[in-house]
Amino acid sequence: MSRSLFLILAAAGALALAGCSGKPSAVSPVGEADASPAAIAATHGDFGPPQGEPIHAVLTSPPHVPPPVNRNYPAKVIVELEVVEKEMPISEGVSYTFWTFGGTVPGSFIRVRQGDTVEFHLKNAPDSKMPHNIDLHGVTGPGGGAASSFTAPGHESRFTFKALNQGIYVYHCATAPVGMHIANGMYGLILVEPPEGLPKVDHEYYVMQGDFYTTGKYRQKGHQPFDMEKAIDEHPTYVLFNGREGALTGDNALTAKTNQTVRLFVGNGGPNLVSSFHVIGEIFDKVQPEGGTVAQHNVQTTLIPSGGAAMVEFHTDVPGSYVLVDHSIFRAFNKGALGILKVDGPEDKTIYSGKEVDSVYLGDRSEPNLKAVTTAATAHAAGTLTKAEQVAAGKQLFTGTCSVCHQANGEGLPNVFPPLAKSDFLAADPKRAMTIVTHGLSGKVTVNGHEYDSVMPPMSQLNDDEVANILTYVLNSWGNPGGQFSKEEVTKARAEAPAAAAPEH
Ligand SMILES: [Cu+2]
């Protein structure tokens, strides 16, 4: 569509809106909820030739965002971005060969001003195996730059575009097979600031969701290759913020203080899933859905399409951990789509009475990391795994998996969840526990003289060495008889048919 036609349509749409509400359209700063023709026209424009000396864009790695451009004239901005293919952790003890823009997933954050002329240099590292290119959704022109930027390993290409529209835009690789390049992490965000800049806030962060497809199961240790079939079927193994489980938790959590404003630039690289982006315990004071210009207010969950982005702002009132999730909630707790914003400062009991959210929502993910689990996995691979390492790993995993029911101290809950501590049922046949964890348990059981008639679902999210480590921890804790299980024993127990539902005791 030609630019003038776009302007006419935009203006007509805005007039229709103003007519419906019956209110006169006031001109307020662009970026606020304002659909007036003047505001919309100002969101798309040329502003003339670049002025002054060319500027080299500051690029940042997630979760950081470059500083505001702080400029009142259009400039020529030079962006230099290098594609790097590299192996990085995708979860504790799991590695994946990512293809990246700038060495990170998502790629480097780019920030320019509306009206800027961007001279884009795309390099492809000499040790890359694949050619790559870039399609920037902030570019007006066929392919968003993709056709002009096809770059073989060890080469560089250059193209220039004018940032006509303000907004927050996804960029991604568009080299065939496109889905595979995106699934391997080739996406990022470019912010085109409105001419007057964005309203000042205390913190800006860069968060981008993506879905990942590995041949191994979720958290299956070792190097995991890309699984094309799972990707085509849209069955992700991982759904992640910033390309790695734990990228925004523990020591990597985002931070703020109470009584501050936070702006999140939230993108979704896909390749397949749409994100229901939510921050547990916060209400978004302002959202620019789909990265557009008209703002929404008082939003709980905002939908971020694959290949789309949003600007989200909120004020921090009460200290604590706020959990970023894709509210398609199995993705958060079983596929990794989870991050933390840690807010420090004095309590305000008039707004919230207290008690931390961590253990309720997070289980093992509230731990700073799962290092003991990685140590055990590495030791197992090397054939040097000790009982102490299994117990340490099992303790961490127990927190996130079993403790919700059996409690952190193994005491269970009267009449609901049987104890694992000093359990005579467990001691009578320790091996049976492997079947219970892998296949579940239902029907009447008597533990320490009390009868339970309930259901324990199979813990099918755990792999064999995790089950071995958890049970070794349980057997060596709380006055239980001791002992040790290997991964191989669990594999065998899992393969055998489930034991009869209600073993009499
Ligand atoms: Cu690529």
Side-chain angles (χ1 to χ4, degrees), residues 28 58 152 155 159 214 261 397 399 413 474:
S28 69
V58 177
H155 287 72
F159 64 101
T214 64
T261 43
L397 292 161
T399 311
L413 285 180
V474 169

Side-chain angles (χ1 to χ4, degrees), residues 232-255:
I232 292 169
D233 292 345
E234 305 190 12
H235 283 152
T237 327
Y238 293 87
V239 181
L240 301 172
F241 294 129
N242 291 3
R244 154 161 138 75
E245 194 166 25
L248 297 176
T249 61
D251 296 342
N252 302 323
L254 305 178
T255 56

Side-chain angles (χ1 to χ4, degrees), residues 42 46 106 109 118 218 241 268 295 327 345 364 374 378 413 423 472 481:
D46 188 314
F109 196 106
V118 181
Y218 173 62
F241 294 129
N268 185 4
H327 214 295
D364 65 350
T374 313
T378 316
L413 285 180
S423 159
T472 301

Side-chain angles (χ1 to χ4, degrees), residues 130-180:
M130 295 283 168
H132 301 283
N133 65 11
I134 193 166
D135 168 352
L136 297 121
H137 291 181
V139 167
T140 306
S148 329
S149 61
F150 184 85
T151 312
H155 287 72
E156 172 179 337
S157 35
R158 191 175 100 182
F159 64 101
T160 302
F161 67 91
K162 193 155 220 176
L164 294 177
N165 293 67
Q166 60 172 267
I168 180 80
Y169 296 98
V170 168
Y171 66 77
H172 63 87
C173 183
T175 305
V178 178
M180 181 177 176

Side-chain angles (χ1 to χ4, degrees), residues 47-325:
F47 308 129
Q51 301 168 28
E53 286 296 302
I55 293 166
H56 282 265
V58 177
L59 304 187
T60 57
S61 299
H64 303 293
V65 177
V69 297
N70 216 356
R71 204 169 1 94
N72 58 10
Y73 60 90
K76 174 171 165 181
V77 178
I78 297 164
V79 174
E80 297 198 47
L81 193 56
E82 186 182 37
V83 173
V84 183
E85 301 171 0
K86 64 197 271 207
E87 195 177 314
M88 293 192 285
I90 191 167
S91 180
E92 280 293 329
V94 190
S95 71
Y96 186 82
T97 304
F98 292 93
W99 299 348
T100 73
F101 286 109
T104 56
V105 177
S108 308
F109 196 106
I110 307 167
R111 186 168 193 155
V112 301
R113 179 183 181 272
Q114 186 184 2
D116 281 348
T117 297
V118 181
E119 184 182 289
F120 207 102
H121 298 244
L122 187 72
K123 293 176 193 165
N124 190 357
D127 60 351
S128 290
K129 298 200 169 55
M130 295 283 168
H132 301 283
N133 65 11
I134 193 166
D135 168 352
L136 297 121
H137 291 181
V139 167
T140 306
S148 329
S149 61
F150 184 85
T151 312
H155 287 72
E156 172 179 337
S157 35
R158 191 175 100 182
F159 64 101
T160 302
F161 67 91
K162 193 155 220 176
L164 294 177
N165 293 67
Q166 60 172 267
I168 180 80
Y169 296 98
V170 168
Y171 66 77
H172 63 87
C173 183
T175 305
V178 178
M180 181 177 176
H181 284 250
I182 294 178
N184 283 342
M186 299 201 74
Y187 45 77
L189 292 181
I190 175 170
L191 173 66
V192 182
E193 281 189 11
E196 73 285 4
L198 294 173
K200 239 179 101 63
V201 291
D202 296 303
H203 297 278
E204 290 185 325
Y205 288 115
Y206 172 21
V207 176
M208 201 156 178
Q209 183 169 323
D211 27 299
F212 294 87
Y213 305 82
T214 64
T215 50
K217 286 204 335 177
Y218 173 62
R219 287 190 175 175
Q220 188 170 322
K221 305 291 179 277
H223 184 80
Q224 296 296 337
F226 170 69
D227 188 324
M228 187 67 160
E229 222 159 286
K230 275 193 192 169
I232 292 169
D233 292 345
E234 305 190 12
H235 283 152
T237 327
Y238 293 87
V239 181
L240 301 172
F241 294 129
N242 291 3
R244 154 161 138 75
E245 194 166 25
L248 297 176
T249 61
D251 296 342
N252 302 323
L254 305 178
T255 56
K257 294 197 166 53
T258 48
N259 209 13
Q260 290 191 321
T261 43
V262 178
R263 175 182 293 131
L264 303 178
F265 297 100
V266 191
N268 185 4
N272 289 319
L273 301 187
V274 162
S275 173
S276 300
F277 185 72
H278 177 79
V279 178
I280 300 175
E282 268 299 346
I283 297 156
F284 304 144
D285 299 319
K286 177 178 164 188
V287 176
Q288 284 172 249
E290 298 172 12
T293 307
V294 177
Q296 257 276 41
H297 297 277
N298 307 317
V299 174
Q300 58 194 304
T301 300
T302 190
L303 203 59
I304 306 181
S306 175
M311 286 188 258
V312 164
E313 289 172 32
F314 50 89
H315 181 259
T316 55
D317 297 286
V318 181
S321 292
Y322 295 85
V323 191
L324 285 60
V325 294

Side-chain angles (χ1 to χ4, degrees), residues 263-487:
R263 175 182 293 131
L264 303 178
F265 297 100
V266 191
N268 185 4
N272 289 319
L273 301 187
V274 162
S275 173
S276 300
F277 185 72
H278 177 79
V279 178
I280 300 175
E282 268 299 346
I283 297 156
F284 304 144
D285 299 319
K286 177 178 164 188
V287 176
Q288 284 172 249
E290 298 172 12
T293 307
V294 177
Q296 257 276 41
H297 297 277
N298 307 317
V299 174
Q300 58 194 304
T301 300
T302 190
L303 203 59
I304 306 181
S306 175
M311 286 188 258
V312 164
E313 289 172 32
F314 50 89
H315 181 259
T316 55
D317 297 286
V318 181
S321 292
Y322 295 85
V323 191
L324 285 60
V325 294
D326 179 338
H327 214 295
S328 289
I329 210 75
F330 273 100
R331 299 176 188 168
F333 296 108
N334 301 79
K335 293 187 172 174
L338 195 142
I340 305 261
L341 170 72
K342 194 127 185 70
V343 176
D344 285 321
E347 300 279 355
D348 185 345
K349 303 279 186 198
T350 63
I351 296 178
Y352 186 70
S353 67
K355 191 163 158 92
E356 266 281 335
V357 67
D358 279 38
S359 56
V360 179
Y361 266 116
L362 297 177
D364 65 350
R365 289 146 178 100
S366 66
E367 297 290 322
N369 50 53
L370 288 171
K371 279 226 174 67
V373 178
T374 313
T375 309
T378 316
H380 181 270
T384 62
L385 183 63
T386 65
K387 189 155 113 181
E389 283 167 338
Q390 280 193 277
V391 168
K395 184 176 181 185
Q396 296 235 333
L397 292 161
F398 184 89
T399 311
T401 328
C402 322
S403 70
V404 271
C405 298
H406 294 289
Q407 305 302 296
N409 58 8
E411 298 286 350
L413 285 180
N415 306 319
V416 189
F417 301 119
L420 301 179
K422 291 203 190 70
S423 159
D424 59 357
F425 184 87
L426 179 65
D429 183 0
K431 284 204 153 129
R432 178 172 54 190
M434 292 188 282
T435 313
I436 294 175
V437 172
T438 50
H439 293 274
L441 183 67
S442 59
K444 282 200 179 89
V445 290
T446 306
V447 185
N448 299 347
H450 295 275
E451 195 173 90
Y452 297 84
D453 188 0
S454 183
V455 179
M456 171 173 152
M459 302 284 113
S460 42
Q461 76 277 26
L462 298 171
N463 59 37
D464 296 344
D465 72 301
E466 289 171 334
V467 174
N469 294 343
I470 290 176
L471 287 176
T472 301
Y473 163 67
V474 169
L475 286 175
N476 291 281
S477 305
W478 318 306
N480 285 335
Q484 187 176 11
F485 291 132
S486 68
K487 176 183 177 181

